[in-house]
Amino acid sequence: MELRHLRYFAAVAEHASMRAASERLHITQPAISRQVQDLEDELGFALFTRSPRGLRLTPAGECYLRDVGKILAALDAAAAAALRVADGAAGQLRLGYVENAGWDGAVPQALHRFQADAPEVSLSLSTLNSPEQLDAIGQNALDGGFIYQLDPLPDGFASLPLLEQDVVLALPRAWRIEHDEAQPFDLRALAGRPFVSFPRAVYPAYHDRLFSACQQARIRLNVVQEQPTEAAMLSLVCAGIGAAIVNAANLARPPAQARFYRLQNLSVPLPLCFAWKRGSGNPALARFVETLRTTVRIAEA
């Protein structure tokens, strides 16, 4: 028994005619008649009663047709579901992102657009720093991630540039330093003041670039505490423990007890991009990358 036997049988039962079924299926009438006869021979019972007035299902044929209909419907549904996965409209997508990148701009816009466009894709998001995301992508634990790309990507990776941030100064309001927030801040005015930073092991490339820029500007940061995330650093800023140099993305969610200033004599460009492994077999990833491209084009227009 093959699938065509079931489809031919269902078509004949629907039309109660070999001729009408052959016209619908674009198969010769003798071929359909032979396939239905072969099916009856294999089953060991008649599916139709034949008379000059046409074909009628036998009671056994009616019973068989009910289950055959379910089988064919399930096969059609399976094909449709698989096609949605192949088109990237269904399936699973695991993405990483740096927390501050998700507050405003291209990242939340692209995620919202993608969920509206492909609601059947199960989207799993993980908050990780850039090196952690690259490791996870390399180990196939993530399909892609929003990272700050400061170094060349590992072999076999691709990336899509999204935007470029810079660093800003976060000052505790409790320090009551008078400065026009519209004017850049000269870090040298904070010589000797305590600063909060992050351990080099968290993000070596960013750490080295930041402190190298400080050295070139002849600024020495008096780091009194280190925290692994900018959210933790800013909590200490709010508590008055120290100032901090943080990603300008934090301007989208400023904490109540901190003030932000552009810097007069320090710049550390932070290019945000979406990274993934080349040759990924996940169609939902390809669809998401196209959504990102569209989002970036709209933002640039």
Side-chain angles (χ1 to χ4, degrees):
M1 185 186 302
E2 297 180 12
L3 181 59
R4 70 174 185 276
H5 292 103
L6 302 183
R7 293 199 182 279
Y8 294 171
F9 161 65
V12 172
E14 179 183 350
H15 295 282
S17 165
M18 293 287 183
R19 179 185 58 79
S22 71
E23 291 175 354
R24 174 190 162 186
L25 297 172
H26 305 290
I27 304 294
T28 64
Q29 184 173 333
I32 289 183
S33 179
R34 184 172 60 253
Q35 296 296 329
V36 171
Q37 184 62 59
D38 290 345
L39 180 60
E40 289 179 318
D41 291 343
E42 183 168 344
L43 292 172
F45 56 82
L47 295 167
F48 298 97
T49 58
R50 293 159 175 84
S51 70
R53 292 193 299 177
L55 301 176
R56 289 183 57 189
L57 284 166
T58 64
E62 291 179 355
C63 177
Y64 192 59
L65 179 62
R66 286 194 292 271
D67 286 332
V68 165
K70 295 175 184 177
I71 291 169
L72 294 178
L75 288 170
D76 290 343
L83 179 60
R84 290 195 298 274
V85 171
D87 288 342
Q92 183 181 25
L93 188 61
R94 304 159 302 165
L95 302 179
Y97 69 103
V98 178
E99 183 180 8
N100 58 32
W103 295 333
D104 193 16
V107 177
Q109 290 171 13
L111 292 173
H112 177 74
R113 186 185 300 272
F114 182 75
Q115 285 193 307
D117 180 56
E120 293 182 67
V121 174
S122 175
L123 193 58
S124 174
L125 299 172
S126 301
T127 306
L128 300 167
N129 65 34
S130 298
E132 291 170 338
Q133 288 185 61
L134 290 175
D135 287 343
I137 296 168
Q139 296 171 17
N140 298 316
L142 287 178
D143 296 299
F146 294 94
I147 67 166
Y148 288 102
Q149 185 181 340
L150 300 182
D151 289 327
L153 292 174
D155 291 341
F157 277 65
S159 68
L160 175 66
L162 301 176
L163 57 91
E164 187 171 277
Q165 302 279 18
D166 206 331
V167 293
V168 294
L169 174 67
L171 280 181
R173 288 190 179 275
W175 284 8
R176 303 189 181 281
I177 292 177
E178 296 298 328
H179 187 83
D180 184 353
E181 293 189 9
Q183 298 300 317
F185 199 102
D186 186 347
L187 270 179
R188 289 171 294 190
L190 298 178
R193 289 270 195 167
F195 270 78
V196 178
S197 188
F198 59 97
R200 184 179 184 277
V202 169
Y203 198 169
Y206 178 31
H207 183 281
D208 292 349
R209 191 165 297 194
L210 171 61
F211 281 85
S212 175
C214 289
Q215 185 176 23
Q216 291 176 11
R218 299 186 177 181
I219 298 167
R220 183 179 180 278
L221 299 184
N222 176 27
V223 177
V224 296
Q225 287 204 43
E226 294 182 329
Q227 293 294 328
T229 68
E230 286 194 334
M233 290 166 56
L234 287 171
S235 69
L236 296 188
V237 172
C238 291
I241 303 299
I245 299 171
V246 297
N247 192 319
N250 289 285
L251 295 174
R253 197 193 67 170
Q257 298 303 316
R259 290 182 295 172
F260 290 98
Y261 297 95
R262 290 179 294 116
L263 287 164
Q264 183 183 107
N265 47 357
L266 186 72
S267 177
V268 183
L270 299 171
L272 179 68
C273 73
F274 182 75
W276 70 96
K277 192 185 292 186
R278 294 184 187 275
S280 168
N282 188 348
L285 174 62
R287 191 182 188 105
F288 183 75
V289 171
E290 286 308 308
T291 299
L292 268 178
R293 294 188 197 278
T294 300
T295 303
V296 172
R297 285 196 295 267
I298 291 174
E300 292 176 346

